[in-house]
Amino acid sequence: MTITDQDYQFFLAAIKYSSKYDFSQYSEKSLKRRLGKVLSDNRININILINKLKNSSEFVEKIVKEITVNTTELFRDPQVWQAIRYAILPKLKSNSVINIWHAGCSSGQEVYSMLILLNELEIFDKVKIYATDLNSDVLDLAKIGEYKYRFNIGYLDNFDKVIKENPYNYEEYNDVPYEKYFDIDKTNDLIRMKDFLKEKPIFKRHDLVTENNTLYVKFDLILCRNVIIYFNYNLQSKVFDLFHKNLYDDGCLILGLHETILGSHSVKYQKKGHGYYKN
Amino acid sequence: MNYNAVIIGGSAGSFQVVTKILNSLPKTFPMPVLLCLHRLKHVRSGFVEALSLKSNIPIEEPFDKDKLIPGKAFLAPANYHMYIELANRIALSTEDSVNHSRPSIDLSFITASNAYRNKLIGIILSGANKDGAFGLKKVHDNGGVTIVQDPEECEVRTMTQSALHLTKVDYVYSTDLIIKFLLKLT
């Protein structure tokens, strides 16, 4: 379904008018495409959509959940997780407390990836891990910690690359069984995270676009992966500013593999490998 | 006729063809070359290096919001969709797969055709699914030039035949003729 510029502006205005959300600084191509998908999934036209948005806050919640992108994986981009394991976390090992924030955690796969790594590095107990997302439905999924098995068979390959193999030493092989961290239930087609992992994180609903840091702590490490690609340049700057203010000195920000810090904020961070360190 | 960008889509059997095309383009090629190629999900590195071996123009997997510049090739990164924004910039997305593919050739072609309208050249090469057919139609509908690799020459014909089925394309060309066409633009 094609969305005209005028429809798009009316849609943005309707959301802003009838909710606390603001999509006006989202990346236009992606959002227009998602909007088209929402219209065809709901079999309605743009005028009906806009009217319903104005009249029902439940409908706004529903549409916001449908329009945001929630794809994620366990150990997505293994090379990044190898860097976290061998370069980024070791620097924090001597801290008495380590605060980590997964901003835009979606259904939680990368939160569990981090928890598994922390346990392997024997720093699980001194870490406080916070995970937030705009969408309360995906946060509920993150809390449940169950994922489809067959569709996500690649999770196991990623696990092997990060947990079992060592890219810096090909002779090393740690035969860590999957059951240490999750059960594979082939009958029900599920991967189930162990309780000791599920109990650890603090999950909280949070909107990066309109809210400040509502976790009220500062962080050693912030992961915000494949979130800012959906934001325009101005909004990206605002988010980088929020992260900068809430990182400890020498704190580290990890973005998606093809995301980068542009413009005035680029000088406030120093890139080393896969991490952006606060200057 | 002046053009502002070339976009190439391919899947199984397209690697050699793309390599041959890139190796033939001069350093001064006057527009950006957008590449949306399917690859095995877990072959995520080494692809750019392989394409770059003999290419005269630099090839990169762009970051989100990178600017498209002439004389450079931009390869859709593994596991991301690559959109083209109006301001000559790349936008990446991790939305679900389309046609079982991420990157999806259709999405790159559709967004590029919106951005470049009749100033776009769309080329579909050998491949094993129908991704790209709808995107090429959009290029055509927006007045751009459409080229499909001659199915006779393709290692796998599904992609080119799907494209030919959906759109009355401008040219059905062998690899050599595709190269000849592009060199005329320099």
Side-chain angles (χ1 to χ4, degrees):
Chain A
M1 220 172 288
T2 319
I3 313 288
T4 68
D5 286 333
Q6 198 184 33
D7 291 341
Y8 183 69
Q9 295 305 329
F10 284 158
F11 164 77
L12 294 177
I15 291 269
K16 207 169 174 175
Y17 171 78
S18 47
S19 76
K20 57 191 180 300
Y21 300 108
D22 183 1
F23 285 100
S24 61
Q25 297 205 63
Y26 273 56
S27 184
E28 193 175 321
K29 271 268 150 51
S30 300
L31 189 60
K32 266 192 181 167
R33 193 187 130 62
R34 298 295 292 178
L35 181 56
K37 188 177 173 335
V38 164
L39 291 177
S40 67
D41 288 353
N42 288 282
R43 296 186 192 163
I44 51 177
N45 68 35
I46 187 80
N47 296 326
I48 296 175
L49 179 92
I50 287 169
N51 266 325
K52 284 179 101 171
L53 286 173
K54 285 179 185 161
N55 292 320
S56 157
S57 54
E58 289 88 36
F59 189 74
V60 174
E61 288 295 326
K62 171 180 143 69
I63 294 302
V64 166
K65 283 169 185 169
E66 289 180 19
I67 219 157
T68 47
V69 174
N70 297 305
T71 47
T72 176
E73 286 172 36
L74 200 68
F75 297 110
R76 183 187 170 116
D77 310 318
Q79 68 270 45
V80 174
W81 286 94
Q82 287 164 345
I84 295 172
R85 174 172 193 168
Y86 293 102
I88 294 171
L89 286 176
K91 286 187 191 149
L92 300 173
K93 219 171 167 174
S94 57
N95 290 18
S96 54
V97 182
I98 303 168
N99 287 342
I100 300 177
W101 179 15
H102 289 262
C105 69
S106 185
S107 40
Q109 283 86 330
E110 293 208 314
V111 182
Y112 290 105
S113 310
M114 181 61 80
L115 290 164
I116 291 168
L117 257 194
L118 295 171
N119 196 60
E120 285 299 306
L121 295 178
E122 298 175 342
I123 49 176
F124 191 82
D125 289 335
K126 61 177 167 182
V127 172
K128 282 225 163 71
I129 186 161
Y130 300 82
T132 63
D133 202 278
L134 172 71
N135 180 337
S136 56
D137 286 2
V138 294
L139 275 180
D140 288 341
L141 293 176
K143 286 177 208 164
I144 293 165
E146 291 183 357
Y147 306 105
K148 288 279 175 210
Y149 169 65
R150 272 190 292 275
F151 182 74
N152 295 312
I153 206 99
Y155 288 8
L156 303 185
D157 295 333
N158 290 354
F159 181 95
D160 292 352
K161 284 202 184 97
V162 180
I163 300 299
K164 296 187 180 181
E165 297 162 16
N166 179 350
Y168 306 102
N169 177 4
Y170 287 103
E171 287 177 4
E172 189 182 315
Y173 187 82
N174 308 300
D175 198 7
V176 180
Y178 300 129
E179 301 76 48
K180 189 173 172 186
Y181 296 111
F182 48 85
D183 294 309
I184 298 172
D185 175 352
K186 291 187 182 171
T187 318
N188 293 304
D189 191 27
L190 284 176
I191 293 172
R192 281 200 187 91
M193 293 297 156
K194 293 281 190 188
D195 285 345
F196 81 100
L197 299 179
K198 287 161 57 171
E199 287 158 4
K200 177 88 174 171
I202 297 155
F203 291 104
K204 190 175 177 188
R205 206 198 142 280
H206 176 261
D207 182 356
L208 275 175
V209 177
T210 57
E211 291 179 276
N212 283 318
N213 176 4
T214 55
L215 303 166
Y216 307 109
V217 292
K218 285 188 144 195
F219 298 94
D220 301 283
L221 188 56
I222 298 176
L223 292 93
C224 183
R225 310 235 305 136
N226 299 311
V227 175
I228 59 152
I229 48 177
Y230 302 106
F231 298 164
N232 74 10
Y233 177 80
N234 287 337
L235 191 50
Q236 288 191 350
S237 293
K238 192 178 153 193
V239 173
F240 292 138
D241 190 49
L242 174 71
F243 291 158
H244 195 265
K245 283 188 181 126
N246 290 288
L247 276 170
Y248 286 119
D249 290 345
D250 302 322
C252 180
L253 169 65
I254 298 168
L255 299 173
L257 195 54
H258 285 271
E259 292 175 320
T260 186
I261 301 177
L262 296 167
S264 60
H265 276 85
S266 58
V267 297
K268 295 186 181 169
Y269 293 89
Q270 192 183 0
K271 191 170 189 196
K272 284 185 211 153
H274 287 286
Y276 286 90
Y277 287 85
K278 178 173 173 171
N279 267 337
Chain B
M1 187 71 187
N2 289 318
Y3 298 100
N4 290 345
V6 179
I7 186 163
I8 300 175
S11 175
S14 69
F15 181 77
Q16 302 293 345
V17 185
V18 174
T19 308
K20 206 170 165 189
I21 293 172
L22 289 171
N23 294 354
S24 309
L25 298 180
K27 216 181 279 180
T28 53
F29 193 67
M31 61 196 93
V33 178
L34 308 167
L35 302 170
C36 190
L37 308 171
H38 296 161
R39 42 183 147 171
L40 294 172
K41 202 176 174 192
H42 293 285
V43 184
R44 289 183 182 180
S45 52
F47 203 62
V48 169
E49 289 76 4
L51 285 174
S52 299
L53 280 176
K54 288 185 183 169
S55 171
N56 298 310
I57 64 172
I59 302 161
E60 64 178 46
E61 289 179 294
F63 284 89
D64 180 57
K65 301 200 176 26
D66 272 355
K67 200 164 174 62
L68 293 166
I69 52 173
K72 207 168 178 179
F74 298 85
L75 172 69
N79 231 354
Y80 284 91
H81 294 302
M82 182 171 81
Y83 299 153
I84 313 305
E85 297 270 6
L86 284 175
N88 248 341
R89 286 187 190 274
I90 301 261
L92 298 176
S93 159
T94 61
E95 272 184 85
D96 290 327
S97 302
V98 173
N99 306 318
H100 307 289
S101 308
R102 189 170 64 198
S104 150
I105 300 171
D106 274 346
L107 292 185
S108 287
F109 272 57
I110 292 167
T111 53
S113 84
N114 283 335
Y116 292 113
R117 318 294 296 182
N118 63 345
K119 304 283 188 187
L120 180 68
I121 299 161
I123 305 175
I124 292 288
L125 305 175
S126 172
N129 74 6
K130 67 179 176 57
D131 192 21
F134 185 72
L136 194 73
K137 184 178 184 307
K138 287 288 161 195
V139 176
H140 183 264
D141 293 348
N142 278 317
V145 173
T146 49
I147 302 175
V148 166
Q149 186 189 1
D150 188 346
E152 290 295 314
E153 194 197 67
C154 291
E155 209 169 283
V156 188
R157 296 179 183 185
T158 318
M159 192 172 277
T160 46
Q161 279 177 340
S162 306
L164 289 170
H165 184 72
L166 206 63
T167 311
K168 194 173 174 300
V169 305
D170 297 298
Y171 307 104
V172 179
Y173 276 166
S174 65
T175 308
D176 289 339
L177 284 175
I178 293 172
I179 291 168
K180 209 172 152 191
F181 178 90
L182 292 176
L183 288 180
K184 268 196 285 185
L185 305 170
T186 62

